[in-house]
Amino acid sequence: MEAATMAWTAAVVGAGLVYWFVWVMGAAEVKGKRAVDLKMGSITRDKVQDKYTQYWSFFRRPKETATTAASAEKVPAFVDTFYNLVTDIYEWGWGQSFHFSPSLPGRSHRDATRVHEERVADLLGARPGHRLLDVGCGVGGPMRAIAAHSGSDVVGITINEYQVKRARAHNRKAGLDSPRCEVVCGNFLSMPFPDASFDGAYSIEATCHAPRLQDVYGEVYRVLKPGRLYVSYEWVTTPLYHAEDPGHVECVHGIERGDALPGLRRQDEIAAIAKEAGFEVLKEQDLALPPALPWWTRLKMGRIAYWRNSIVVRVLTLLRIAPKGVSEVHEMLYETAQHLTRGGETGIFTPMHMVLLRKPPAAASTEEEAK
Ligand SMILES: C=C(CC[C@@H](C)[C@H]1CC[C@H]2C3=CC[C@H]4[C@H](C)[C@@H](O)CC[C@]4(C)[C@H]3CC[C@]12C)C(C)C
Ligand SMILES: C[S@@+](CC[C@H](N)C(=O)[O-])C[C@H]1O[C@@H](n2cnc3c(N)ncnc32)[C@H](O)[C@@H]1O
């Protein structure tokens, strides 16, 4: 074969491989986001690397970020940066629901995710005519599942403007646009909603971003109508976690650093904080415990896909289709996945400690008296 023909053949095969890797293999399992569409939220292309460096130096020592008041105040802004950096990668590699769920035998991840979300609606007794609050709504996967399953209307709040845009676009596409599902950009530590304006509230793997859980619970308590319910899936360490074990500490720090967390709480702290906020604790259960099947199998099974994704991201960065810095963010997530898997396998961590709380019916008269 002549040199020119060989060069042409190599070029065509090479281009074909790139196309296959990036456009075909690079599509999300739910065929939502494609690798070529990876943006970094509201961050401009040239700022991605800097923003990642800033994020990393802030969350490198997670416990310190929560303990000094000055840095605790900065947490929401850094959480916002985090979601600018990861939202597209999450959608691309995980889907529209940014949480875990117990595996279900013979069922897809998608089904398991939906069942875990519908459980929230069932616990709340949600029905048509109810207006629910989704505290930390992401791009709205849970919101759409809960609205469709229960017939309730849902209002979601997220700190990240880019997620608001994504969630609204998904809602429109699903035929669940306002008033069925609404999305507001705001801080759940000080929410832009009137007192006693919701018939129910829930948070799925979101309140772990708050430096003080009391502050979010206090806000949810304020906006709930008396007698109404709040369900939360909390990220916590379990009684199997030992602070003297360096392996445990490394695992938990890894989870905190790679997930924008100002320090994981202990499982036994949650109910006490809820009561301090004024709630009655109706139920508390770690949904990850047997007979539930492991929530981390999906993370583990994805390893080959992550390796492929990592190559896709590098190639796209090289071709200047993806902004510089995306590879570092992807690497960080890859490492985080190892820590999360270790946390699950050792049982020292759960992302689904469920609490079902009620604002006492008598709260109405007590609040009136206090005025
Ligand atoms: C509740 C939170 C997020 C939980 C999960 C949705 C995400 C935690 C870790 C994420 C991922 C890790 C590995 C990524 C992989 C390297 C990439 O190729 C594709 C995306 C990942 C699978 C990504 C997906 C989302 C997570 C599982 C926190 C933030 C409180
Ligand atoms: C891991 S995601 C979970 C999203 C959604 N609950 C789901 O399961 O798909 C956490 C969410 O909490 C939101 N969040 C974190 N801190 C927040 C804050 N201070 N105010 C409002 N939203 C916040 C993030 O923007 C993100 O949408």
Side-chain angles (χ1 to χ4, degrees):
M1 208 190 285
E2 272 178 40
T5 319
M6 273 172 72
W8 267 108
T9 313
V12 170
V13 171
L17 272 176
V18 169
Y19 174 82
W20 176 73
F21 237 83
V22 174
W23 273 269
V24 182
M25 293 296 287
E29 60 167 293
V30 284
K31 299 278 177 270
K33 264 269 159 225
R34 292 174 316 154
V36 281
D37 300 326
L38 292 180
K39 293 188 203 72
M40 291 287 111
S42 326
I43 304 176
T44 53
R45 282 180 73 86
D46 54 322
K47 296 274 176 345
V48 172
Q49 191 126 44
D50 284 356
K51 284 286 178 188
Y52 172 68
T53 311
Q54 286 166 18
Y55 166 79
W56 190 247
S57 50
F58 185 75
F59 272 105
R60 203 182 35 201
R61 287 185 293 272
K63 276 276 186 283
E64 288 167 32
T65 55
T67 43
T68 73
S71 48
E73 241 173 57
K74 294 184 193 149
V75 168
F78 278 97
V79 169
D80 180 30
T81 298
F82 174 78
Y83 281 106
N84 276 326
L85 295 170
V86 304
T87 293
D88 276 352
I89 302 182
Y90 276 19
E91 275 203 52
W92 174 48
W94 200 254
Q96 295 172 13
S97 293
F98 296 173
H99 62 80
F100 295 106
S101 42
S103 304
L104 294 178
R107 310 271 295 271
S108 64
H109 297 312
R110 221 175 169 172
D111 278 357
T113 304
R114 191 175 34 77
V115 167
H116 196 55
E117 293 166 350
E118 289 176 358
R119 184 176 204 153
V120 167
D122 296 342
L123 282 162
L124 291 175
R127 53 185 159 78
H130 278 180
R131 185 167 174 263
L132 307 182
L133 171 64
D134 183 332
V135 182
C137 64
V139 299
M143 166 192 286
R144 287 180 288 282
I146 287 169
H149 176 69
S150 66
S152 317
D153 296 341
V154 185
V155 179
I157 182 165
T158 166
I159 193 88
N160 184 259
E161 185 67 58
Y162 181 67
Q163 290 189 337
V164 173
K165 281 193 212 135
R166 295 292 301 160
R168 285 183 183 156
H170 291 313
N171 290 349
R172 258 193 309 278
K173 222 167 158 188
L176 285 167
D177 214 349
S178 174
R180 294 302 316 286
C181 291
E182 280 175 41
V183 192
V184 172
C185 191
N187 188 346
F188 58 37
L189 303 172
S190 133
M191 292 195 274
F193 306 119
D195 296 356
S197 50
F198 289 96
D199 302 293
Y202 64 89
S203 45
I204 302 186
E205 302 187 21
T207 49
C208 48
H209 288 297
R212 282 168 36 89
L213 190 62
Q214 295 79 326
D215 296 343
V216 207
Y217 279 13
E219 270 299 88
V220 175
Y221 183 91
R222 179 183 68 76
V223 302
L224 262 189
K225 294 180 185 168
R228 300 306 172 112
L229 303 178
Y230 170 43
V231 175
S232 190
Y233 291 169
E234 295 291 340
W235 277 35
V236 289
T237 56
T238 73
L240 295 179
Y241 172 77
H242 296 298
E244 330 65 69
D245 183 327
H248 287 189
V249 173
E250 174 49 25
C251 171
V252 163
H253 278 179
I255 293 173
E256 291 167 343
R257 276 196 302 264
D259 289 297
L261 305 182
L264 274 174
R265 282 172 269 274
R266 291 194 323 263
Q267 201 165 47
D268 62 6
E269 289 178 283
I270 307 299
I273 296 173
K275 285 179 193 157
E276 196 187 307
F279 284 111
E280 296 165 1
V281 179
L282 302 187
K283 201 170 174 190
E284 211 186 352
Q285 186 186 351
D286 178 1
L287 301 177
L289 287 179
L293 296 178
W295 52 267
W296 60 92
T297 33
R298 181 177 176 192
L299 267 184
K300 249 184 129 167
M301 275 162 44
R303 278 203 189 147
I304 295 177
Y306 307 158
W307 171 82
R308 176 207 69 204
N309 291 353
S310 164
I311 298 182
V312 169
V313 164
R314 276 165 213 250
V315 171
L316 288 174
T317 314
L318 217 70
L319 297 175
R320 296 178 189 261
I321 296 173
K324 246 173 115 194
V326 180
S327 271
E328 284 91 330
V329 177
H330 189 268
E331 278 309 300
M332 174 190 79
L333 293 181
Y334 180 80
E335 265 197 33
T336 310
Q338 318 302 312
H339 292 297
L340 285 162
T341 305
R342 168 92 33 96
E345 283 177 336
T346 53
I348 64 171
F349 160 76
T350 175
M352 49 190 76
H353 181 71
M354 183 277 287
V355 281
L356 174 62
L357 310 175
R358 182 167 68 162
K359 176 167 175 172
S365 43
T366 325
E367 275 163 20
E368 279 311 307
E369 281 161 21
K371 277 182 191 167

